[in-house]
Amino acid sequence: MKKKILIFLWVLILFSAGLAAQTDVAKDKNCRAIFTRYEIKDNDSIEFNLGRGRGLQLRNRQYFEFIIPESFQGRIPDYAYIHHRKEFVYFKPDENGMDNDNPWIQTAFRNFQTGEWKIWADQFGSKKRSAMRPDEKPKKNTLYNFLEHVGNFAPDRVRIFNLAEGNPELAVASIHKLGLVFLSQKDSDPLTNKVFTDYEKLNRLTLRYDLDKKAGLKLLQNHSFEFAIPENFRNRSIFHIILKHRKDPIYAANPDDFDAFDPNAAYILCEARNQKTGYWHKWADRSSLAKFSEVRTADNPEDETLHNCLRTFGQIEPDRFRLTNVGKGDPDKCIANVHAVEIMFAPDLKNSETIEKIFTPDTSFSRPDLGRPVPLLGGGPRLSGRFPGALVLGKGHEQRIKAIENLPEEHQFETGSRLGENYQIDTNGDLLIKLPAKRAIESIELAIGDLDITSLEYNKDGYFGRSGKAEVSIFIEKQNRESIPLLLKNNLGMAGMVLCGGPGFDYLTDPGDRLRIVVSNDIAFLMGFRILLKVM
């Protein structure tokens, strides 16, 4: 009898392992399954995969529970990521073609020491909508910055809930994957790490580290480059990073086709170290955890911007920044060439005078001190290319305004015109802003976009309107017409934020100084600006 019971239990365990889940309805009827099987991605990452590529369904008020393995239970996560979707079979639109039956995913973590559950939530809330996607392309969401958005503790369990709206029979989520990336205090191996201390101060916010301007410095597989941040910048959070890098054609899988699949691709992991805790925080976005080094010639490296560092790293005080080649495959071919790194720090909002104008409703600038690290845009692709209330800048701006007025009614929008005595747009479409005297310019931020809906067509990225080639430059212009360049020909996207610092040298504004914002090569729409000034 005992032997039969043991055999039964052994079969049950094998069956549960094959599904990578153990149902536990007796404990909680809303608990669909408990998962214990995981994959170790690297020393800091684990991943739970569900449903062999199709995901597992989660209905209204149900949840999946994931047991963090003991080897990771004493560690604090850096961030988590979830792959999920709604299947097309559950799409039942209303008379207007809208889907009102939405699964909303919420994630909770259990404090290992107290047993208390904490829900992840950022400035946009705690829930992520499961959009309709095919099984091979689920939606990907990253739950950034565990320390600030959940708490300073090591979890032992994670739960993913479906908080459905509408018809619960149709608001069904399919969960494909849960990944956890943990903070690390492990420093680089001195034998495979090179430290850079020399930098150029480009402006009040930006440091540039040049490694090799012509060819780029080779970053070998599992090797690191580390950049020491000077003392006077270590109390500043990082705003964004510009990584100038490539993979040399001599290491390409096919030197005649730079886009060919490369089994020996180089990927660069980007991390910042918090000097107060010693933790290394990893940069990530929804699509990548490390940056792919494209095959390019030496004269054409990629200038890749790591956006939203306030969101990913959080409000840390960094003393080091690190690049590590985490690519796989043949180490003799998995090599990246790094030309330069620029680190832009967040502007200092404390003890600052602010000149701020918002032209497009719903536009706002970041305020990490108030829990809003991500700025918001009031126009662009999300409004089908419209920028209601925005200032139209650039040569030909008057013609563009007339063309917008003659569009079909559903595409028309009013543009800004009332600026006040301290602002004007000249005949070239440049914006001029008067500055108070005896101030140091800390930073200038522009919410600005380049999307032309007068074309009445969709662009290659699937958004309505022609994506243009506009560039923006910013100057301090003095009464004698001399100028100090702050930003030169910065490419503009369909809608985004542009940030530049004041002069890198000590400069106080003189009476009559003003900012000149110049848009060239196309027309752009200014949704708002914020200027931070320091009284010296």
Side-chain angles (χ1 to χ4, degrees):
M1 183 66 180
K2 289 183 178 179
K3 185 175 180 180
K4 290 182 178 179
I5 293 174
L6 289 173
I7 292 174
F8 172 77
L9 290 174
W10 180 72
V11 172
L12 181 61
I13 291 171
L14 287 178
F15 176 75
S16 300
L19 293 176
Q22 296 173 328
T23 56
D24 193 1
V25 179
K27 181 180 178 182
D28 185 341
K29 65 179 182 180
N30 292 324
C31 179
R32 169 101 199 274
I34 297 178
F35 296 85
T36 58
R37 197 168 73 183
Y38 61 92
E39 177 185 354
I40 295 179
K41 304 297 290 184
D42 54 45
N43 291 333
D44 300 324
S45 309
I46 60 173
E47 196 172 81
F48 297 85
N49 290 282
L50 287 63
R52 296 184 180 181
R54 291 189 53 83
L56 292 179
Q57 290 188 350
L58 197 60
R59 295 183 175 272
N60 183 36
R61 304 298 164 181
Q62 290 183 335
Y63 66 87
F64 291 139
E65 187 163 314
F66 303 84
I67 310 298
I68 296 176
E70 289 187 9
S71 56
F72 285 86
Q73 281 187 11
R75 299 180 61 179
I76 299 173
D78 190 355
Y79 58 86
Y81 56 90
I82 301 173
H83 295 186
H84 58 110
R85 67 188 175 100
K86 176 179 175 177
E87 294 187 29
F88 291 101
V89 68
Y90 295 112
F91 177 53
K92 305 294 181 184
D94 61 15
E95 61 274 10
N96 298 315
M98 302 296 293
D99 184 2
N100 299 311
D101 309 309
N102 295 301
W104 289 88
I105 299 303
Q106 188 179 74
T107 308
F109 300 80
R110 193 176 81 162
N111 188 322
F112 177 73
Q113 294 182 323
T114 67
E116 183 180 7
W117 288 91
K118 291 285 188 178
I119 295 171
W120 179 92
D122 65 2
Q123 73 183 84
F124 303 106
S126 64
K127 296 183 290 185
K128 302 294 184 181
R129 177 176 169 270
S130 289
M132 283 188 298
R133 298 283 177 84
D135 55 7
E136 69 275 11
K137 292 184 178 180
K139 182 181 178 182
K140 301 175 182 179
N141 281 117
T142 302
L143 310 183
Y144 298 104
N145 200 351
F146 183 93
L147 278 172
E148 291 183 12
H149 297 318
V150 182
N152 187 2
F153 65 86
D156 64 339
R157 292 173 181 246
V158 184
R159 285 178 178 175
I160 295 178
F161 296 85
N162 177 10
L163 304 180
E165 69 174 3
N167 184 343
E169 297 302 316
L170 299 175
V172 179
S174 291
I175 310 299
H176 286 236
K177 185 177 296 186
L178 167 68
L180 296 168
V181 180
F182 294 84
L183 292 168
S184 171
Q185 291 180 317
K186 185 178 180 180
D187 286 331
S188 305
D189 185 343
L191 297 178
T192 58
N193 183 50
K194 184 176 178 60
V195 179
F196 298 87
T197 57
D198 293 336
Y199 62 89
E200 178 186 0
K201 185 179 178 182
L202 299 183
N203 53 55
R204 286 178 67 95
L205 301 180
T206 309
L207 304 178
R208 180 183 176 93
Y209 298 80
D210 283 312
L211 281 65
D212 185 328
K213 292 183 179 180
K214 290 186 177 181
L217 194 63
K218 291 181 181 180
L219 181 58
L220 305 180
Q221 187 184 75
N222 298 323
H223 284 228
S224 300
F225 291 157
E226 201 168 293
F227 304 87
I229 295 173
E231 191 73 36
N232 58 332
F233 277 84
R234 291 182 182 179
N235 63 341
R236 309 283 291 273
S237 299
I238 296 175
F239 187 81
H240 72 224
I241 307 284
I242 296 178
L243 175 61
K244 199 179 190 76
H245 68 124
R246 66 188 180 94
K247 182 174 182 178
D248 198 281
I250 63 174
Y251 304 118
N254 183 352
D256 297 323
D257 181 6
F258 288 1
D259 296 323
F261 172 74
D262 187 355
N264 307 303
Y267 288 88
I268 298 179
L269 177 68
C270 306
E271 302 170 281
R273 182 182 182 271
N274 187 340
Q275 63 176 330
K276 289 187 173 181
T277 64
Y279 284 129
W280 287 95
H281 294 249
K282 298 175 178 61
W283 184 89
D285 63 15
R286 70 176 64 186
S287 61
S288 61
L289 310 180
K291 303 310 295 184
F292 170 69
S293 291
E294 296 180 5
V295 178
R296 289 172 175 248
T297 56
D299 61 341
N300 185 35
E302 181 179 10
D303 285 326
E304 188 153 25
T305 302
L306 280 62
H307 295 284
N308 287 333
C309 290
L310 285 174
R311 189 180 193 184
T312 55
F313 295 148
Q315 298 182 70
I316 65 172
E317 296 185 6
D319 62 350
R320 303 187 217 169
F321 179 71
R322 181 169 68 187
L323 306 176
T324 305
N325 184 347
V326 294
K328 307 298 182 182
D330 185 349
D332 292 330
K333 296 181 179 179
C334 179
I335 298 173
N337 286 62
V338 181
H339 291 239
V341 169
E342 287 183 17
I343 304 177
M344 176 175 281
F345 296 86
D348 183 6
L349 299 172
K350 298 176 183 176
N351 303 318
S352 297
E353 287 185 6
T354 302
I355 301 174
E356 181 175 312
K357 293 283 286 185
I358 299 297
F359 305 109
T360 302
D362 298 329
T363 295
S364 65
F365 295 95
S366 64
R367 285 296 303 268
D369 56 324
L370 300 179
R372 302 198 304 268
V374 179
L376 302 178
L377 302 172
R382 77 179 189 88
L383 292 183
S384 299
R386 292 177 290 114
F387 296 85
L391 299 186
V392 187
L393 303 181
K395 291 182 179 180
H397 64 289
E398 293 178 342
Q399 291 88 337
R400 180 67 64 84
I401 292 173
K402 290 180 180 178
I404 292 171
E405 292 173 348
N406 292 324
L407 287 172
E409 186 175 353
E410 64 270 23
H411 298 303
Q412 294 178 11
F413 60 92
E414 292 187 5
T415 55
S417 57
R418 296 180 181 180
L419 298 180
E421 61 180 10
N422 292 326
Y423 318 97
Q424 72 177 85
I425 296 177
D426 68 9
T427 55
N428 289 321
D430 297 349
L431 176 62
L432 303 173
I433 304 170
K434 290 184 179 179
L435 296 172
K438 296 184 179 180
R439 302 292 192 274
I441 299 175
E442 171 74 5
S443 63
I444 301 149
E445 295 170 88
L446 308 177
I448 190 167
D450 174 13
L451 193 56
D452 178 14
I453 60 172
T454 64
S455 65
L456 294 176
E457 62 185 13
Y458 288 87
N459 59 42
K460 62 181 178 61
D461 296 311
Y463 296 104
F464 187 73
R466 175 185 61 85
S467 52
K469 299 179 180 179
E471 298 173 328
V472 64
S473 301
I474 303 175
F475 304 87
I476 300 173
E477 187 173 84
K478 306 186 71 61
Q479 277 190 323
N480 61 5
R481 296 295 180 177
E482 290 182 0
S483 64
I484 302 171
L486 301 179
L487 183 71
L488 293 176
K489 296 187 175 181
N490 186 97
N491 291 325
L492 295 180
M494 290 181 282
M497 290 285 178
V498 172
L499 171 67
C500 77
F505 55 91
D506 293 333
Y507 177 80
L508 295 181
T509 55
D510 289 324
D513 280 4
R514 57 187 184 178
L515 284 180
R516 180 178 287 272
I517 298 173
V518 180
V519 170
S520 54
N521 289 348
D522 214 323
I523 301 300
F525 297 87
L526 183 67
M527 294 170 276
F529 65 80
R530 181 171 71 175
I531 303 168
L532 297 183
L533 305 169
K534 296 287 188 181
V535 180
M536 307 302 287

